[in-house]
Amino acid sequence: MQNWTLTAVQSALRTHGLDGWLLYDFRGSNPVAVQASGLPQTGTRRWFLWIPVQGPAQLLIHAIEQSTFTDFNPALQSVTTPYVSWRDLHAALGRMLTKARRIAMEFSPQNAIPYLDLVDGGMLDLVRTLGRVETVSSADLVQWFQATLTSAQADNHRQTAARVLQVKDEALTHVANALTADRALDEFALQEFIVARLLHRGLDSTHRPVVAVNAHAADPHYEPTAQRHSAIAPGDMLLIDLWGKSRGDRDACFADVTWTAFCGASVPPRAARVFAVVRQARDACISYIQAGLRAGDQIRGCDADDICRQVITEAGYGEHFIHRTGHSLGSELHFSGVNIDNLETEDSRSLAPGLLFTIEPGIYLPVCDFDDTGRKLGLGIRSEVNCLVREGDLEITTLPLQERIIPLLP
């Protein structure tokens, strides 16, 4: 993430043709504002930070909470104004915005990017009434200040990616050994194994990994529990989706991968064909982004999603690709940068250097026969990689790419 300094913010405002950025928070409802503040918590009353394109920043806080803001981020060089009544607040806001015509706030028109819809409608009404300003989404500003990785964060992510991939290999070996020895194993037990191996390698994850066989893998967010799980048996298709970040480091970045395997020696032809489509879609999306960045083009998340989705649609599986192509990745598993998405949302933000995201197309068939037994087992195939935007290029940080379904028996 970039440093929240007055110089850096005002430079970004000039780049985007804005008169200022109004950050508003109430009881931690706006994590962007809280991060800018540099404070662990920001009290119980409404507060505002106005950063104009020129001149000093202004901090508007309630009079009873001045001590809460004593250590407010000094790099923003803000002048503090206390208010007591709602009338004081309205008057102070009006004065702040007197000369502004076009300002940024944390909202998303038509809720296009829900992650950035952090300011409530009532506050937007108030600001537009008091200042008679045009409010625009701060989505691109937030991307720059919150979601772009520093070189240290990028290095940390690469190290984490290597460890996550090692745990993936250990998990698949664990399954192969159980199958060879005819030892009972189920989704929940394998999930427990993966969590233990992530912890052993110094990684934490915010949620438990996905371990799913057959029809369960056709549910993209399936999670086994001690009460609900299936056995992992010979002839099953297996999907594992695991992620982690360095334990105890707030700014550390996640790695998040998905791999698919077959609990047998010879991968069923239909499953292999479906994986080939997913792989082609993944690689088409990567190639599109790489070519655009190398040419100096602006690549939008929604357009990259279209490229990936077109491959799966033309192969006849469009209705079975039921989630976005990828999500922003950073110090949180689903972060505030651009998503590769024109399905769930229309993310029109552009990919910029320092942004990290996943590409993870999938095809999900809850009822299908993927082998020659005629059993309606269900099939879910996903391939997930992590991508870091560099100046004029795209780095795949989770190599090697999965090129085929892995057979777990010789």
Side-chain angles (χ1 to χ4, degrees):
M1 64 185 72
Q2 304 302 313
N3 292 325
W4 287 87
T5 68
L6 182 62
T7 299
V9 175
Q10 290 181 330
S11 175
L13 291 172
R14 286 191 292 273
T15 297
H16 289 86
L18 295 168
D19 295 317
W21 189 353
L22 182 61
L23 292 145
Y24 159 70
D25 178 59
F26 177 62
R27 293 176 174 257
S29 60
N30 185 350
V32 178
V34 174
Q35 184 189 72
S37 77
L39 300 173
Q41 61 86 27
T42 53
T44 62
R45 302 299 194 271
R46 293 175 290 178
W47 65 273
F48 303 79
L49 174 66
W50 167 241
I51 308 177
V53 69
Q54 289 183 321
Q58 300 176 57
L59 181 62
L60 178 60
I61 60 175
H62 198 278
I64 67 173
E65 295 199 320
Q66 293 184 69
S67 62
T68 301
F69 288 82
T70 300
D71 297 321
F72 192 87
N73 181 3
L76 288 172
Q77 305 173 37
S78 52
V79 177
T80 301
T81 299
Y83 72 91
V84 175
S85 71
W86 64 265
R87 294 178 180 84
D88 296 337
L89 185 153
H90 287 195
L93 269 180
R95 288 193 297 271
M96 282 182 177
L97 302 176
T98 297
K99 297 182 180 180
R101 292 295 175 266
R102 189 167 182 265
I103 70 170
M105 293 188 74
E106 283 68 67
F107 83 104
S108 179
Q110 299 182 23
N111 195 236
I113 307 172
Y115 297 95
L116 271 299
D117 236 346
L118 302 171
V119 176
D120 63 88
M123 181 53 66
L124 287 171
D125 284 343
L126 175 62
V127 169
R128 289 163 179 164
T129 300
L130 292 176
R132 291 179 171 79
V133 295
E134 176 192 1
T135 51
V136 302
S137 175
S138 64
D140 286 325
L141 295 172
V142 172
Q143 246 196 174
W144 175 245
F145 283 95
Q146 191 175 66
T148 55
L149 274 57
T150 64
S151 59
Q153 285 179 307
D155 287 341
N156 170 269
H157 163 74
R158 294 185 187 100
Q159 295 165 12
T160 296
R163 285 184 280 175
V164 168
L165 287 169
Q166 287 170 341
V167 173
K168 177 267 297 180
D169 290 338
E170 292 172 342
L172 295 180
T173 298
H174 184 67
V175 177
N177 290 340
L179 293 170
T180 300
D182 197 23
R183 185 176 68 247
L185 184 65
D186 60 51
E187 296 167 328
F188 181 70
L190 181 57
Q191 183 190 63
E192 291 278 279
F193 175 87
I194 292 172
V195 169
R197 297 311 299 167
L198 289 169
L199 290 172
H200 176 75
R201 294 188 178 276
L203 302 178
D204 281 335
S205 58
T206 52
H207 303 286
R208 295 173 68 83
V210 174
V211 177
V213 298
N214 304 332
H216 286 168
D219 176 356
H221 283 185
Y222 170 78
E223 181 181 320
T225 66
Q227 296 75 35
R228 183 194 64 183
H229 58 262
S230 291
I232 300 174
D236 286 344
M237 291 296 307
L238 171 66
L239 180 150
I240 59 173
D241 183 355
L242 65 158
W243 48 83
K245 65 178 288 186
S246 297
R247 188 159 57 248
D249 184 350
R250 184 182 65 178
D251 293 329
C253 293
F254 275 92
D256 179 9
V257 301
T258 304
W259 281 60
T260 308
F262 175 63
C263 297
S266 181
V267 176
R270 182 175 189 186
R273 288 194 299 271
V274 170
F275 182 87
V277 174
V278 169
R279 181 191 62 208
Q280 182 183 358
R282 178 198 70 196
D283 294 349
C285 188
I286 291 172
S287 296
Y288 168 77
I289 295 172
Q290 285 178 326
L293 293 174
R294 290 168 182 170
D297 298 335
Q298 293 291 310
I299 304 298
R300 303 190 304 169
C302 54
D303 296 332
D305 179 89
D306 287 344
I307 294 296
C308 189
R309 198 165 301 281
Q310 181 180 358
V311 173
I312 292 177
T313 299
E314 290 179 351
Y317 293 106
E319 66 182 296
H320 301 292
F321 182 12
I322 56 176
H323 62 77
R324 61 192 166 202
T325 291
H327 61 83
S328 173
L329 199 60
S331 57
E332 298 177 10
L333 186 59
H334 287 199
F335 208 36
S336 55
V338 59
N339 298 307
I340 311 303
D341 188 10
N342 198 23
L343 177 72
E344 300 172 35
T345 66
E346 183 185 14
D347 200 323
S348 59
R349 292 175 291 176
S350 295
L351 302 176
L355 293 178
L356 181 67
F357 57 90
T358 69
I359 292 177
E360 49 180 301
I363 293 174
Y364 306 97
L365 305 168
V367 179
C368 79
D369 53 337
F370 61 77
D371 59 17
D372 58 4
T373 66
R375 298 177 297 168
K376 301 296 184 181
L377 297 174
L379 177 65
I381 300 290
R382 179 166 68 250
S383 179
E384 178 180 18
V385 300
N386 298 171
C387 303
L388 176 63
V389 182
R390 297 164 60 182
E391 194 68 50
D393 207 353
L394 185 70
E395 176 187 354
I396 311 303
T397 61
T398 50
L399 295 174
L401 299 175
Q402 183 173 6
E403 300 295 348
R404 61 189 181 93
I405 295 173
I406 300 172
L408 295 179
L409 293 178

